[in-house]
Amino acid sequence: MGKPHIVILGAGYGGIMTAVKLEKMLSGQEATLTLVNKYDYHYQTTWLHENAAGTLHHDRSRIPIKDIMNMQKTEFVLDTVVSIKPEEKKVKLENGELLYDILVIGLGFEATTFGTPGIEEHAFTIRNINSARLIKEHVEYNFAMYHHEDEKNPGRLNIVVGGGGLTGIQFLGELVNRIPELCEEYDIHKTMVRIINIERSPTVLSDFDKQLVEYAMNSLESRGVEFITDATLKECASDHVIYEKDGKRVEIPTYTTIWAAGVHANSIVEKSGFEHHQGSIKVSHDMRAPDYDDVFAIGDCAMIINRDTGEAYSPTAQIAIQASDTVANNIRALIQEESEELETFEPKLLGTVVSLGHTDAIGDILNNRKIFGWKAALMKKVIDNRYLLKLGGFNLLIRKSKFNIFN
Amino acid sequence: MGKPHIVILGAGYGGIMTAVKLEKMLSGQEATLTLVNKYDYHYQTTWLHENAAGTLHHDRSRIPIKDIMNMQKTEFVLDTVVSIKPEEKKVKLENGELLYDILVIGLGFEATTFGTPGIEEHAFTIRNINSARLIKEHVEYNFAMYHHEDEKNPGRLNIVVGGGGLTGIQFLGELVNRIPELCEEYDIHKTMVRIINIERSPTVLSDFDKQLVEYAMNSLESRGVEFITDATLKECASDHVIYEKDGKRVEIPTYTTIWAAGVHANSIVEKSGFEHHQGSIKVSHDMRAPDYDDVFAIGDCAMIINRDTGEAYSPTAQIAIQASDTVANNIRALIQEESEELETFEPKLLGTVVSLGHTDAIGDILNNRKIFGWKAALMKKVIDNRYLLKLGGFNLLIRKSKFNIFN
């Protein structure tokens, strides 16, 4: 092949980190690199719950692509992927198409609604900058509406979060920080506001250590969150939700339902005819699609199997960032034809820290160490800052860091 | 009569200024004073367009009643007036009733929709703190919605202001200051936003000097306002308005229609059986209702006739504040039985300054002097600050002034 063309779809954690590394690894003589993204910025998916709650401005969670990539070396295409035709080595975009020699699919996730009626139309999701800031505005709008209407409507002040996973819980943590400010802003008594979490399992954060979960639930409950566990959201409308618990259906008046109960890979993967499991590509040890030697998948689009247990790892930012090393190294190997054998990806799980607002968190970290409280909250900020350092060096850290000292 | 009970309804410009003066003029032995208001704060109606546009925080436009009145001397009742029964000297409130010996009606205004279909349900009005901050939130919400929806909806970015009077024009002036900030906040190109004013007459501010009006329209047009004059709003829906001009009906897609085309006195006046003209009480020279010796009216509820021309003065904050002197003096005279003859109210028109944003304005002031540009803008701020000084002295001026030097 002549000068190979590498196309990276998506500038999320996996895509942008792969692009940054390849830009450094390969000279312009060796390959051309194109990055395609729907927006002209990269955003921190794991910070979006803060933007949605209104505790962090959305501009803090995004970074212009041109501030990360070298636009002389990398071609940046601002467009939306419509489909991939791997047989033709072609990507269809809304405004054109691209031919590739090597493809990286990092197109992220979509919400899984499990067919629950009304979720698609009426619930909000914490999915991208646009959807996160809309939640912030929507909550404020309803608080403003409350005193404007002669007939007081409690549904304006009820916020229902469907799903007690990482996103849902972290969003609740921010919300309990934000609500007192909103109450002051709109002359509303704090006791009028209900924040309700509905979770299908007997407990939230069901993969987590029981003690830590108890700590988290206590912390959030003490600040006003109501947990309804063992309950299923059955229906969502513009002004209410219905859940079922113990065979009974209960209606909650609310204009604000946040659906945080599940995601799957971008449906383009499935539509483009890749062999998939629940929508994502079950990648081989070298992060390539099993049926296409020239296609890599990363992040939410890649299903990575734990070879000890045979089960899939949950896709996280941590794994996506680690995998970008393997993907970049393997692309270089293919191009420089250094070796037949590509590198194998093995996630190194460093644990998870779940934020519960600005000063509280729980963490299940290396060697089963459990941390909670302000130490865990600090750890969370350290993790967030380490990523910035990896992505854009010290300059980016200074501009976007979560330590006030840098602001 | 024993110790007379004075009841003041409404803490707008007229009501609160009357209350402040009476509190100083009369001792607790002479009379008891009750002030009734729907909110526990007084607000600056003439600043609301700034709160609505989002250029001034609504807390800057309001002052807690307890910071103005002496709560030991004056009874403050936080309640909404339902009706007045002047024959029984009784006021019905939502949560009780009050008997009075002397009544002051200062219940402000309501929007006049002229029966235009949909205005009541779908248009916003700049009427009080609640309605003003709702407009701010509504505009932001729609800007946030714009990029959230896959199908781009230009109606989200169109703002229609019905009426080119004082409120409409001053709101437009603030809006053109605010829109560039909103565009940056929500990643919207400035050229996508339309700000449209629809005015029934051949020109906006039709009572004003022609040269000044031309200046105002040029100033606003140069910053993006489209004026559609000689046009009538025919219909307002949640997602569009229809206006008629030259016999043709034109539809504009918009989610934000601000109705600023006319007001009338609080309809309680009419419902309570007072003799009224277009809803307000045509007060006699001493500010009393013609058919009740113990009832005063002030502000938007009072129609004051210019004895030179036989026409009614437009109710303004200026006139309400001036009238509070006469009302307070006359109430004192009635109580202290100083004289049979009550004072006559004669407005001293000092002219009007119309703000066109932070740094521009037009003014038609004393002796037909015309001012415009930054001088007029400064004059406007001086007027705003003088009121604060009158209402609450130097301490209030420092806290709420519009000069940055005090902030």
Side-chain angles (χ1 to χ4, degrees):
Chain A
M1 66 201 196
K3 191 161 87 170
H5 184 204
I6 308 162
V7 172
I8 299 178
L9 304 180
Y13 291 109
I16 194 96
M17 289 299 284
T18 303
V20 163
K21 283 166 189 164
L22 284 174
E23 201 180 73
K24 287 182 192 148
M25 285 174 170
L26 298 171
S27 74
Q29 274 71 49
E30 288 174 298
T32 55
L33 181 61
T34 299
L35 174 65
V36 181
N37 199 43
K38 202 171 172 178
Y39 312 105
D40 61 359
Y41 50 83
H42 161 71
Y43 58 87
Q44 303 251 44
T45 312
T46 59
W47 296 15
L48 289 175
H49 61 277
E50 299 179 52
N51 310 137
T55 49
L56 185 80
H57 191 276
H58 58 260
D59 283 339
R60 295 279 303 278
S61 295
R62 61 176 169 176
I63 307 159
I65 302 279
K66 66 176 171 38
D67 290 358
I68 308 171
M69 305 300 299
N70 179 342
M71 300 299 243
Q72 254 85 51
K73 267 190 96 171
T74 302
E75 174 89 13
F76 175 64
V77 177
L78 178 66
D79 210 336
T80 302
V81 177
V82 177
S83 66
I84 303 164
K85 300 194 182 299
E87 301 294 350
E88 304 169 43
K89 294 169 167 276
K90 197 195 278 180
V91 178
K92 281 196 72 174
L93 307 175
E94 264 176 25
N95 305 300
E97 57 180 41
L98 286 170
L99 290 169
Y100 64 80
D101 295 304
I102 297 173
L103 185 71
V104 180
I105 303 173
L107 288 168
F109 66 88
E110 292 172 5
T112 305
T113 64
F114 306 116
T116 312
I119 293 290
E120 189 90 28
E121 301 86 331
H122 301 297
F124 295 84
T125 55
I126 301 173
R127 190 167 78 245
N128 53 38
I129 294 284
N130 289 328
S131 78
R133 72 180 159 198
L134 183 64
I135 292 170
K136 171 186 173 285
E137 290 303 333
H138 182 82
V139 170
E140 289 180 6
Y141 181 65
N142 278 286
F143 273 55
M145 263 300 214
Y146 184 76
H147 277 310
H148 181 256
E149 291 167 321
D150 286 332
E151 188 98 12
K152 297 296 173 229
N153 187 338
R156 300 260 180 228
L157 307 181
N158 293 344
I159 301 170
V160 174
V161 177
L166 222 103
T167 304
I169 293 299
Q170 294 196 123
F171 176 66
L172 291 167
E174 297 301 315
L175 214 50
V176 293
N177 275 166
R178 176 77 176 135
I179 291 300
E181 291 171 14
L182 282 177
C183 286
E184 180 146 352
E185 181 74 8
Y186 299 104
D187 308 319
I188 288 163
H189 260 277
K190 238 189 92 175
T191 51
M192 308 292 294
V193 179
R194 287 181 69 192
I195 305 172
I196 301 151
N197 183 252
I198 296 175
E199 166 60 43
R200 200 185 268 257
S201 315
T203 176
V204 302
L205 296 172
S206 50
D207 293 342
F208 254 69
D209 173 86
K210 269 192 182 156
Q211 255 187 300
L212 290 177
V213 171
E214 212 184 302
Y215 177 90
M217 289 178 78
N218 276 335
S219 165
L220 293 172
E221 271 173 343
S222 74
R223 288 179 285 157
V225 175
E226 300 169 45
F227 288 102
I228 304 173
T229 52
D230 278 322
T232 317
L233 258 184
K234 282 292 175 192
E235 191 188 308
C236 180
S238 66
D239 62 353
H240 70 270
V241 292
I242 293 171
Y243 71 86
E244 193 176 289
K245 185 180 162 81
D246 302 332
K248 263 184 269 173
R249 286 164 75 93
V250 182
E251 183 175 322
I252 306 174
T254 180
Y255 290 77
T256 312
T257 301
I258 315 294
W259 181 252
V263 297
H264 62 79
N266 193 316
S267 54
I268 287 169
V269 168
E270 194 176 328
K271 283 185 215 144
S272 298
F274 289 99
E275 191 191 321
H276 65 91
H277 289 77
Q278 291 144 39
S280 45
I281 298 174
K282 199 184 202 172
V283 291
S284 52
H285 68 99
D286 55 15
M287 297 299 293
R288 284 191 287 184
D291 31 7
Y292 297 96
D293 264 3
D294 47 9
V295 176
F296 291 82
I298 194 163
D300 294 289
C301 294
M303 179 182 282
I304 297 164
I305 301 297
N306 182 333
R307 267 165 299 173
D308 294 337
T309 65
E311 280 178 33
Y313 290 105
S314 305
T316 62
Q318 198 178 108
I319 292 179
I321 295 164
Q322 289 177 10
S324 69
D325 272 330
T326 305
V327 173
N329 286 337
N330 286 346
I331 289 175
R332 176 177 55 180
L334 286 177
I335 286 172
Q336 297 177 343
E337 289 168 273
E338 275 176 349
S339 68
E340 297 273 299
E341 194 60 34
L342 296 187
E343 194 179 303
T344 291
F345 177 58
E346 194 68 69
K348 283 172 277 306
L349 296 187
L350 307 171
T352 309
V353 183
V354 183
S355 149
L356 304 170
H358 286 308
T359 54
D360 204 1
I362 55 170
D364 205 344
I365 54 173
L366 274 177
N367 310 320
N368 261 327
R369 225 186 107 204
K370 294 168 203 165
I371 55 171
F372 52 84
W374 68 267
K375 279 187 196 168
L378 186 68
M379 172 77 88
K380 182 77 177 173
K381 293 198 174 79
V382 170
I383 294 168
D384 287 343
N385 290 336
R386 274 190 57 200
Y387 170 67
L388 289 171
L389 200 61
K390 276 192 202 169
L391 179 63
F394 193 66
N395 283 336
L396 188 64
L397 179 64
I398 285 183
R399 280 194 293 117
K400 296 283 178 177
S401 144
K402 279 197 181 166
F403 288 123
N404 287 324
I405 197 167
F406 292 121
N407 293 332
Chain B
M1 67 200 197
K3 191 159 88 169
H5 184 206
I6 308 162
V7 173
I8 299 177
L9 304 181
Y13 291 109
I16 195 97
M17 288 300 284
T18 303
V20 162
K21 283 165 189 167
L22 285 174
E23 200 179 73
K24 286 181 191 149
M25 285 174 171
L26 297 171
S27 74
Q29 274 69 48
E30 289 173 297
T32 54
L33 181 61
T34 299
L35 175 65
V36 181
N37 199 45
K38 202 171 170 177
Y39 312 105
D40 61 358
Y41 51 82
H42 161 70
Y43 58 85
Q44 303 252 44
T45 311
T46 59
W47 297 13
L48 290 175
H49 60 276
E50 299 177 52
N51 311 138
T55 49
L56 184 79
H57 192 275
H58 58 260
D59 283 338
R60 295 280 303 278
S61 296
R62 60 176 169 176
I63 307 159
I65 302 280
K66 66 173 172 43
D67 290 359
I68 307 171
M69 305 300 299
N70 179 342
M71 300 299 244
Q72 255 83 51
K73 268 190 96 172
T74 302
E75 176 88 13
F76 175 64
V77 177
L78 178 66
D79 209 337
T80 302
V81 177
V82 176
S83 66
I84 303 165
K85 300 196 183 299
E87 302 293 352
E88 304 168 44
K89 292 169 169 278
K90 198 196 278 180
V91 177
K92 283 196 69 173
L93 306 174
E94 263 177 23
N95 305 301
E97 57 181 40
L98 286 170
L99 291 167
Y100 63 80
D101 296 304
I102 297 172
L103 185 71
V104 180
I105 304 174
L107 288 168
F109 67 87
E110 292 174 4
T112 305
T113 64
F114 307 115
T116 313
I119 293 289
E120 189 89 28
E121 302 85 331
H122 301 297
F124 295 84
T125 55
I126 301 173
R127 189 166 81 246
N128 53 39
I129 294 284
N130 290 327
S131 77
R133 71 181 160 198
L134 183 64
I135 292 171
K136 171 187 173 284
E137 290 303 334
H138 183 81
V139 170
E140 288 179 6
Y141 181 65
N142 278 286
F143 273 55
M145 263 299 212
Y146 184 76
H147 276 312
H148 181 256
E149 291 168 320
D150 286 333
E151 187 99 11
K152 296 297 173 230
N153 187 338
R156 300 262 180 227
L157 307 181
N158 293 344
I159 301 171
V160 173
V161 177
L166 221 102
T167 304
I169 293 299
Q170 294 196 123
F171 176 66
L172 291 167
E174 297 301 315
L175 214 49
V176 292
N177 276 165
R178 176 75 176 135
I179 292 299
E181 290 172 14
L182 283 177
C183 286
E184 180 146 352
E185 181 73 9
Y186 299 103
D187 308 319
I188 287 163
H189 260 277
K190 238 188 92 174
T191 51
M192 307 292 294
V193 179
R194 286 181 68 193
I195 305 172
I196 301 152
N197 183 252
I198 296 175
E199 166 60 43
R200 200 185 267 259
S201 315
T203 175
V204 301
L205 297 172
S206 49
D207 293 343
F208 253 70
D209 174 87
K210 271 192 181 159
Q211 253 186 303
L212 290 178
V213 171
E214 211 185 302
Y215 177 90
M217 289 178 78
N218 275 335
S219 166
L220 293 173
E221 272 174 343
S222 75
R223 288 179 286 158
V225 175
E226 300 169 45
F227 287 103
I228 303 173
T229 53
D230 279 321
T232 318
L233 258 184
K234 283 292 176 193
E235 191 188 310
C236 180
S238 67
D239 61 354
H240 69 271
V241 292
I242 293 172
Y243 70 86
E244 192 176 287
K245 186 180 161 82
D246 303 331
K248 262 184 268 173
R249 287 165 75 92
V250 183
E251 184 174 323
I252 306 174
T254 179
Y255 289 78
T256 311
T257 300
I258 316 295
W259 181 252
V263 297
H264 62 79
N266 193 317
S267 53
I268 287 169
V269 168
E270 193 176 328
K271 281 185 215 144
S272 298
F274 290 100
E275 193 192 320
H276 66 90
H277 290 78
Q278 291 145 39
S280 45
I281 299 174
K282 199 186 204 171
V283 290
S284 53
H285 68 100
D286 56 13
M287 297 299 294
R288 285 191 287 185
D291 31 6
Y292 295 97
D293 264 4
D294 47 8
V295 176
F296 292 82
I298 195 162
D300 294 289
C301 294
M303 179 183 282
I304 296 165
I305 302 298
N306 182 334
R307 268 166 297 172
D308 295 335
T309 64
E311 279 179 34
Y313 290 105
S314 304
T316 61
Q318 198 178 109
I319 292 179
I321 294 164
Q322 289 177 10
S324 70
D325 272 330
T326 304
V327 173
N329 286 337
N330 288 344
I331 289 175
R332 177 178 53 181
L334 286 176
I335 286 171
Q336 296 177 342
E337 290 167 274
E338 275 176 351
S339 68
E340 297 274 299
E341 194 60 36
L342 296 186
E343 193 181 304
T344 291
F345 177 59
E346 195 68 70
K348 283 173 276 305
L349 296 187
L350 306 171
T352 309
V353 183
V354 183
S355 149
L356 304 170
H358 286 306
T359 54
D360 203 1
I362 55 170
D364 205 343
I365 54 172
L366 275 177
N367 311 321
N368 261 327
R369 224 184 108 204
K370 294 168 204 166
I371 55 171
F372 52 86
W374 68 267
K375 280 187 198 169
L378 186 66
M379 171 76 88
K380 182 77 178 172
K381 292 198 174 77
V382 170
I383 294 168
D384 286 344
N385 289 336
R386 275 190 57 200
Y387 171 68
L388 289 171
L389 200 60
K390 277 191 202 171
L391 178 65
F394 193 64
N395 283 336
L396 188 63
L397 180 64
I398 286 182
R399 281 193 294 117
K400 296 282 177 177
S401 144
K402 280 198 180 164
F403 288 123
N404 286 325
I405 197 167
F406 291 122
N407 292 333

